[in-house]
Structures are given as C-alpha cells and as structure tokens.
Amino acid sequence: SKRVGIFVSGGGSNMRALVEDMQGDHPARPSVVLSNNERAGGIAWARTQGIATEVIDHRPYGADRASFEAAITDALAPYDLDIICLAGFMRVLTGGFVAPWQGRMLNIHPSLLPKYKGLNTHARALDAGDTEHGCTVHLVTPALDDGPILGQARIAIEPGDTPQTLAARVLVQEHRLYPATLRRFAAGNTTPLTL
Ligand code: GAR
C-alpha cells in the first residue's frame, strides 16, 4: 500500500481523521507525522498511536527556508513516502521542496478555492457577504493554495455566523472531505470529489 507522510503544525484534527480512515482495505497507510512544532497536539496523538514522528523546528533556520526544507527532506528519506498530506501545516514550502513532490502532495485549505487563498478565510468570506463557504483539497504546486482541485465540501453561511462558528462547521466538513479525497487519490482517482 501507499506510504503517507502527514505534516501538521497544530491540533492535528485533520491528521487524526486521515489516520483513522487508513485501515483495512484503504490503499494507503500512515508512515510518519512531521511537524515544525514539538508541542503540536498532532505529534502527541500520533505517538499514542505508535506512528513515527519527526520534528523539524523552523526557528533555528530563520529566513533560510532552503536549509529548513533540506532538513525535512533528510528526515523523510528513511520513510520512502509515496504521498505527502499537508494538514494544517502553517509553513510555506518553496518551489524547491514542492517541485519533486508535485502530483504527490495534497493540502487542505479552509475555503472554496480559488476564493480566499492564504489566511483568515472565514472572516474574508463573511466580509464579502458570501452565502456559501467550505473547504478544498488540492494538489500542491509552488504557488500558494493553487493547484488542481481534488475535492470540495460546501456549507451555507447563516445569519449570525462569526469566523469562529464558520471555522467549526467547516472543520466538520474537512474531516469528511480529506479522508474521502485521500482514499480516492491513493487509488489513482483524481476526478474532483464534491461533498
Ligand atoms: C484546518 O482548518 C486547515 O484547513 C487549516 O488549518 C486548520 C488545521 O486544523 N489550514 C490552513 O489554514 C492552511 N493554510 P487541524 O490542525 O485541527 O487539522
């Protein structure tokens, strides 16, 4: 089966949804969880599951992204990964890292791309007066939050919604969308999925 590396920076709820789905007849297995942050909740949870973890702190590298990314590449080498899933990984990866993985690296983003690339997506959807919102899984290319869309899930924006209420409802959809999309992708299906 396909070997998957999952990159997290925070709580790791999407990583957890992916790991919990990768069982039985699933065409992939979690090989390693990598974080730039030793205190990421996702790292602690992965360890309780007996999944290998790697922590590469970005801070000692300062602005030297190439050296940070070289350290990630070195740390991943023993795992011989087939697929990388970015799951709330909050460091921008340069083209130097992304290019060798192009077509094999997925990201989940909390907006209906191509709308609202970057940060503060929920507040931006509200400020724009949008009536719907959601999340997107896409293939990673060197351009931020760009690249072919593999899946999207939508929610309605209701009166009284705040960035916090939207984030919570979108996150529920992320936990459905990312595992469903990875399952299809690992089996060779890149036809966009709509939930
Ligand atoms: C998720 O909402 C994910 O879409 C978002 O961060 C959250 C991580 O939550 N990602 C980005 O904003 C990427 N720029 P999690 O750690 O609980 O999965």
Side-chain angles (χ1 to χ4, degrees):
S1 69
K2 299 274 170 61
R3 289 176 294 274
V4 178
I6 307 172
F7 288 19
V8 300
S9 295
S13 69
N14 277 288
M15 177 272 295
R16 183 169 173 157
L18 291 173
V19 167
E20 288 176 343
D21 195 50
M22 280 190 264
Q23 300 184 38
D25 67 353
H26 196 292
R29 288 289 184 270
S31 291
V32 61
V33 174
L34 179 143
S35 185
N36 60 301
N37 176 9
E38 168 68 36
R39 287 182 299 280
I43 284 289
W45 185 80
R47 287 179 180 149
T48 70
Q49 303 302 300
I51 299 169
T53 59
E54 299 287 343
V55 176
I56 310 292
D57 187 344
H58 61 281
R59 291 171 301 183
Y61 298 96
D64 185 0
R65 290 186 186 267
S67 295
F68 171 59
E69 292 171 354
I72 293 176
T73 297
D74 287 350
L76 293 183
Y79 301 97
D80 193 20
L81 299 178
D82 299 300
I83 297 170
I84 291 175
C85 289
L86 306 181
F89 186 68
M90 301 308 280
R91 306 302 303 173
V92 171
L93 296 167
T94 72
F97 185 86
V98 169
W101 285 98
Q102 208 160 308
R104 300 185 297 148
M105 178 158 46
L106 282 59
N107 180 46
I108 189 157
H109 183 75
S111 77
L112 293 173
L113 291 173
K115 286 185 147 182
Y116 314 129
K117 299 175 182 182
L119 299 177
N120 303 317
T121 58
H122 310 299
R124 289 158 67 198
L126 280 175
D127 289 348
D130 290 356
T131 56
E132 65 169 12
H133 187 42
C135 50
T136 303
V137 175
H138 64 97
L139 284 166
V140 177
T141 61
L144 183 71
D145 299 329
D146 207 55
I149 289 173
L150 297 174
Q152 286 188 315
R154 313 178 107 76
I155 64 161
I157 296 181
E158 309 288 357
D161 264 327
T162 65
Q164 291 72 29
T165 63
L166 278 185
R169 287 215 305 291
V170 168
L171 194 61
V172 171
Q173 297 305 313
E174 293 185 46
H175 298 161
R176 298 175 62 220
L177 179 70
Y178 211 173
T181 307
L182 176 62
R183 197 177 262 269
R184 288 158 57 99
F185 180 78
N189 184 352
T190 55
T191 310
L193 171 67
T194 302
L195 293 185

